[in-house]
Amino acid sequence: MSNEGSGEDLQIRFRHSSGTDIGPFSFEDGNTIQSVKSVVFGRWPTDGPLVKECPSSAADLRLLCSGQFLDNSKTLKDYRKLMGSTEPLAVVTMHVLVRPPQAGKAADKADSDPGKPAKSGCACVIC
């Protein structure tokens, strides 16, 4: 899974909120977060508990490392400090979240009708 020829290899496992792990996979530190998400999407499990929450594209995935959402345009090298130990045999654990299918559709629907006022999901009334 190399993006650039001279990067250092990293072993990364992806932990879903259900506690299920995907990987570990090997990446070079020059890989962008977008390319990492593409690999995770391409290797998403086809059996087991994660089948219920299968992303429809790599864009539906969010990666977290040390509590920070990772930016698609940055590289793994940009996040080395967050990863802690990256010795040759060390495996870094990142968390993977799947965007719910309705989240993207609701946003697209609101953007498609500019004349219609936006609806809020909640309201507070103080008497």
Side-chain angles (χ1 to χ4, degrees):
M1 296 297 126
S2 64
N3 198 20
E4 296 177 10
S6 62
E8 191 175 323
D9 279 348
L10 297 169
Q11 295 293 315
I12 304 175
R13 123 180 7 112
F14 302 90
R15 182 156 295 155
H16 186 265
S17 59
S18 68
T20 305
D21 288 344
I22 304 169
F25 305 125
S26 182
F27 297 95
E28 290 185 357
D29 61 3
N31 284 97
T32 64
I33 300 304
Q34 182 61 48
S35 68
V36 171
K37 288 165 75 171
S38 294
V39 169
V40 174
F41 173 70
R43 295 185 179 179
W44 195 263
T46 56
D47 60 350
L50 295 183
V51 171
K52 297 176 196 170
E53 199 173 347
C54 187
S56 58
S57 71
D60 289 342
L61 298 176
R62 299 287 311 263
L63 299 180
L64 287 108
C65 185
S66 297
Q68 181 176 349
F69 283 104
L70 306 185
D71 184 351
N72 287 343
S73 62
K74 292 190 177 183
T75 65
L76 291 171
K77 187 175 185 176
D78 295 329
Y79 292 108
R80 290 268 275 173
K81 288 182 182 177
L82 292 178
M83 292 183 207
S85 175
T86 54
E87 296 173 8
L89 297 177
V91 177
V92 175
T93 300
M94 290 187 182
H95 289 88
V96 61
L97 300 174
V98 179
R99 180 180 305 170
Q102 63 273 22
K105 291 178 185 175
D108 292 344
K109 193 172 186 179
D111 292 342
S112 66
D113 193 0
K116 205 173 192 180
K119 293 182 180 178
S120 176
C122 65
C124 295
V125 178
I126 300 174
C127 297

